[in-house]
């Protein structure tokens, strides 16, 4: 048991629909342990730590915490800062100055690496600091996890959005392109397949960053589906790339922004959807072509949250505190699946998770590379939660023509 009786918790990276469940899980579980006096929250992630921008979560009522838990997006605020060694050394100095004994960081790959570096700094300094990473990302790309909190709710949104887009496209046939988040991992784009009910429903084609994208083959696929069904619904990951690894958005567009890490800005822009739609119109001569970029909508959409995701996001926060109080090591909380459907939790070494990226396994992707397998559908369906809406259609009972038999 560490002598320091203060906890600091922060949220990093992209918000999700359930990240506040993990935050509240930490706070409420900490209150059950007599060894804890204060629980602080850092505003806007690690930037809030180096700026000493803290709030005292010990003073929050349990009722308000529960209301915040059910609210999407990061209640403490987040950051896209990617700390290097010098940045993490500043983090550690602030933690030591405030007498923090337990550091919890809710986030994805970069956040886990930050926790790893801070933990190492504390060990080298001989300072008693327990560091726990709490998983979160809609991309579902944390290694060692069956799935990651935030992904199921975002996947539920994507599945429902494509179910609606398919109905719209069936009523007014044409080609529809929906671009979904995912730079390296295609899990979220693949979730569009769960919007299908009938064999001829869309998405008819799914393009993932795990497979090389060829524009000529893409156009041939679209043409074949359009000729077969008289329409085509397409799900595309923002991270699709050519054989050299260059993003298709960068290849087709002349001017694209770059983010703070030098990556081509893929989210928050409709460039890829517009470019693909223009290729279809120009080269296939199909008149009705429409495109959407889901952008930030899929991350924190109110009213489209998986109850399974809510429960597990709360539990990873609770387990983080339990591991910190009763364990003797730092680590990253991981979700492991048992049977159909239940989960257990495990504390993985930070080195096993930090800075690594999981991508969709081959057995989840169809041989054609433009669809998912039944194994993926079975994997995802329980994560979407209860009360998934359904769609129905009229049965074809044609009446014989009189004037034009």
């Amino acid at each position: 048991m560490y002598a320091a009786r203060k906890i600091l918790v922060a949220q990093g990276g992209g918000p999700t629909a359930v990240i506040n469940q993990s935050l509240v899980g930490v706070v409420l579980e900490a209150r059950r342990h007599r060894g804890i006096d204060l629980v602080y929250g850092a505003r806007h992630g690690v930037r809030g730590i180096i700026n000493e921008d803290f709030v005292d979560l010990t003073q929050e009522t349990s009722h308000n915490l529960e209301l915040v838990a059910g609210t999407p997006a990061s209640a403490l605020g987040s950051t896209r800062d990617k700390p290097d060694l010098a940045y993490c050394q500043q983090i550690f100095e602030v933690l030591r100055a405030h007498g923090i004994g337990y550091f919890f960081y809710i986030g994805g790959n970069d956040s886990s690496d930050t926790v790893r570096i801070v933990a190492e700094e504390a060990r080298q300094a001989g300072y008693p600091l327990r560091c726990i990473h709490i998983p979160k990302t809609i991309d579902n790309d944390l290694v060692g996890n069956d799935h990651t909190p935030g992904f199921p709710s975002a996947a539920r949104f994507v599945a429902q959005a494509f179910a609606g887009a398919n109905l719209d496209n069936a009523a007014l046939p044409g080609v529809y392109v929906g671009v979904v988040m995912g730079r390296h991992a295609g899990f979220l784009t693949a979730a569009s397949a769960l919007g299908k009910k009938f064999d001829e429903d869309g998405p008819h084609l799914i393009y993932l960053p795990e497979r090389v994208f060829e524009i000529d083959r893409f156009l041939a696929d679209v043409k074949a589906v359009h000729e077969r069904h008289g329409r085509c619904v397409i799900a595309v990951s923002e991270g699709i790339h050519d054989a050299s690894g260059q993003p298709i958005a960068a290849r087709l567009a002349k001017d694209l922004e770059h983010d703070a890490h030098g990556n081509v800005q893929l989210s928050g822009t409709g460039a890829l959807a517009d470019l693909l739609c223009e290729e279809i119109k120009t080269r296939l001569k199909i008149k009705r072509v429409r495109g959407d970029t889901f952008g930030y909508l899929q991350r924190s959409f109110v009213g489209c949250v998986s109850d399974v995701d809510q429960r597990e996001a709360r539990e990873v926060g609770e387990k983080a505190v339990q591991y910190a109080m009763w364990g003797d090591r730092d680590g990253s909380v991981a979700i492991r699946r048992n049977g159909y459907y239940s989960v257990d939790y495990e504390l993985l070494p930070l080195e096993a998770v930090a800075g690594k990226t999981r991508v969709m396994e081959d057995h989840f992707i169809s041989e054609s590379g433009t669809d998912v397998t039944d194994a993926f559908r079975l994997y995802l369906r329980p994560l979407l939660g209860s009360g998934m809406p359904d769609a129905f259609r009229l049965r074809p009972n044609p009446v014989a023509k009189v004037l034009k038999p």
Side-chain angles (χ1 to χ4, degrees), residues 40 91 98 181 224 277 290 304 357 380:
Y40 293 162
I91 292 173
H98 282 266
M181 278 185 173
C277 286
R290 302 290 185 269
C304 188
T357 300
L380 180 57

Side-chain angles (χ1 to χ4, degrees), residues 12-209:
T16 79
V18 297
I19 189 172
N20 291 331
Q21 292 282 358
S22 298
L23 170 66
V24 172
V26 169
V27 178
L28 294 183
E29 181 65 23
R31 290 179 176 180
R32 297 187 178 99
H33 294 266
R34 289 189 298 175
I36 298 300
D37 291 333
L38 295 168
V39 181
Y40 293 162
R43 298 182 69 251
H44 298 289
V46 288
R47 179 163 293 277
I49 298 177
I50 63 173
N51 290 334
E52 298 183 73
D53 187 3
F54 298 163
V55 293
D56 186 356
L57 298 175
T58 321
Q59 299 184 45
E60 273 288 357
T61 66
S62 297
H63 176 69
N64 194 53
L65 284 170
E66 290 294 353
L67 295 177
V68 170
T71 302
S74 303
L76 285 172
S78 191
T79 179
R80 279 300 188 188
D81 285 7
K82 187 176 182 180
D84 56 12
L85 176 59
Y87 197 123
C88 289
Q89 288 172 339
Q90 291 183 64
I91 292 173
F92 169 64
E93 287 305 320
V94 172
L95 297 180
R96 178 161 61 178
H98 282 266
I100 302 297
Y102 303 89
F103 173 42
F104 300 94
Y105 199 17
I106 309 167
N109 316 65
D110 292 340
S111 300
S112 64
D113 202 35
T114 297
V115 175
R116 178 188 65 80
I117 299 173
V118 171
E120 180 60 28
E121 287 298 307
R123 280 195 294 272
Q124 291 180 3
Y127 179 77
L129 177 68
R130 178 63 66 230
C131 298
I132 305 290
H133 167 245
I134 300 173
K136 174 274 333 173
T137 172
I138 67 168
D139 291 328
N140 201 38
D141 61 353
L142 283 178
V143 300
N145 285 264
D146 177 81
H147 57 279
T148 311
F151 165 68
S153 294
R156 183 182 175 103
F157 173 85
V158 170
Q160 292 182 197
F162 271 91
N166 172 69
L167 294 170
D168 190 287
N169 185 260
L172 288 171
V175 176
Y176 173 80
V177 180
V179 175
V180 182
M181 278 185 173
R183 182 180 294 272
H184 301 295
F187 286 100
L188 199 54
T189 305
S192 62
L194 275 291
K196 298 182 65 160
K197 181 173 182 178
F198 301 101
D199 289 340
E200 62 270 29
D201 283 346
H204 306 101
L205 298 168
I206 301 174
Y207 295 92
L208 309 168

Side-chain angles (χ1 to χ4, degrees), residues 31 47 78 101 105-106 110 117 176 185 220 231 264 274 278 309 335 337 346 366 399:
R31 290 179 176 180
R47 179 163 293 277
S78 191
Y105 199 17
I106 309 167
D110 292 340
I117 299 173
Y176 173 80
R231 66 190 190 94
V264 173
D274 292 343
E278 187 60 31
D309 199 17
I335 299 176
R337 181 182 308 219
E346 181 180 351
S366 69
V399 176

Side-chain angles (χ1 to χ4, degrees), residues 75-374:
L76 285 172
S78 191
T79 179
R80 279 300 188 188
D81 285 7
K82 187 176 182 180
D84 56 12
L85 176 59
Y87 197 123
C88 289
Q89 288 172 339
Q90 291 183 64
I91 292 173
F92 169 64
E93 287 305 320
V94 172
L95 297 180
R96 178 161 61 178
H98 282 266
I100 302 297
Y102 303 89
F103 173 42
F104 300 94
Y105 199 17
I106 309 167
N109 316 65
D110 292 340
S111 300
S112 64
D113 202 35
T114 297
V115 175
R116 178 188 65 80
I117 299 173
V118 171
E120 180 60 28
E121 287 298 307
R123 280 195 294 272
Q124 291 180 3
Y127 179 77
L129 177 68
R130 178 63 66 230
C131 298
I132 305 290
H133 167 245
I134 300 173
K136 174 274 333 173
T137 172
I138 67 168
D139 291 328
N140 201 38
D141 61 353
L142 283 178
V143 300
N145 285 264
D146 177 81
H147 57 279
T148 311
F151 165 68
S153 294
R156 183 182 175 103
F157 173 85
V158 170
Q160 292 182 197
F162 271 91
N166 172 69
L167 294 170
D168 190 287
N169 185 260
L172 288 171
V175 176
Y176 173 80
V177 180
V179 175
V180 182
M181 278 185 173
R183 182 180 294 272
H184 301 295
F187 286 100
L188 199 54
T189 305
S192 62
L194 275 291
K196 298 182 65 160
K197 181 173 182 178
F198 301 101
D199 289 340
E200 62 270 29
D201 283 346
H204 306 101
L205 298 168
I206 301 174
Y207 295 92
L208 309 168
E210 286 82 359
R211 297 291 181 266
V212 171
F213 183 90
E214 300 173 357
I215 190 67
D216 289 339
R217 182 184 173 190
F218 166 75
L219 292 170
D221 292 341
V222 174
K223 181 180 179 182
V225 171
H226 191 266
E227 289 177 347
R228 183 163 63 250
H229 297 296
R231 66 190 190 94
C232 184
V233 176
I234 309 163
V236 180
S237 171
E238 65 181 9
I240 56 170
H241 57 83
D242 62 18
S244 70
Q246 183 184 29
I248 297 301
R251 179 177 169 183
L252 295 178
K254 295 181 180 179
D255 298 309
L256 281 176
E257 296 181 10
H258 289 71
D259 63 21
H261 310 305
N263 298 315
V264 173
Q265 189 70 47
L266 300 177
S267 302
T269 170
L272 181 59
D274 292 343
L275 292 164
L276 293 177
C277 286
E278 187 60 31
E279 290 287 314
I280 295 168
K281 289 178 185 177
T282 303
R283 298 178 59 179
L284 298 184
K285 308 302 180 185
I286 299 175
K287 293 183 178 179
R288 184 175 174 79
V289 183
R290 302 290 185 269
D292 282 327
T293 299
F294 288 15
Y296 297 129
L297 287 175
Q298 57 214 305
R299 293 204 307 208
S300 304
F301 198 85
V302 177
C304 188
V305 183
S306 162
D307 51 355
V308 172
D309 199 17
Q310 286 182 315
R311 180 178 70 247
E312 292 175 354
R314 174 68 69 93
E315 290 177 347
V316 293
E318 293 173 346
K319 292 301 296 184
V321 174
Q322 293 172 10
Y323 284 127
M325 299 301 294
W326 300 330
D328 59 353
R329 61 190 175 98
D330 306 319
S332 177
V333 180
I335 299 176
R336 295 295 175 87
R337 181 182 308 219
N338 287 317
Y340 189 94
Y341 169 78
S342 64
V343 298
D344 286 332
Y345 301 97
E346 181 180 351
L347 188 67
L348 301 179
L350 287 166
E351 295 77 11
V353 179
K356 297 179 173 62
T357 300
R358 175 193 181 188
V359 296
M360 279 187 68
E361 291 79 5
D362 286 341
H363 71 279
F364 283 158
I365 305 173
S366 69
E367 193 172 334
S368 68
T370 60
D371 200 357
V372 300
T373 62
D374 286 341

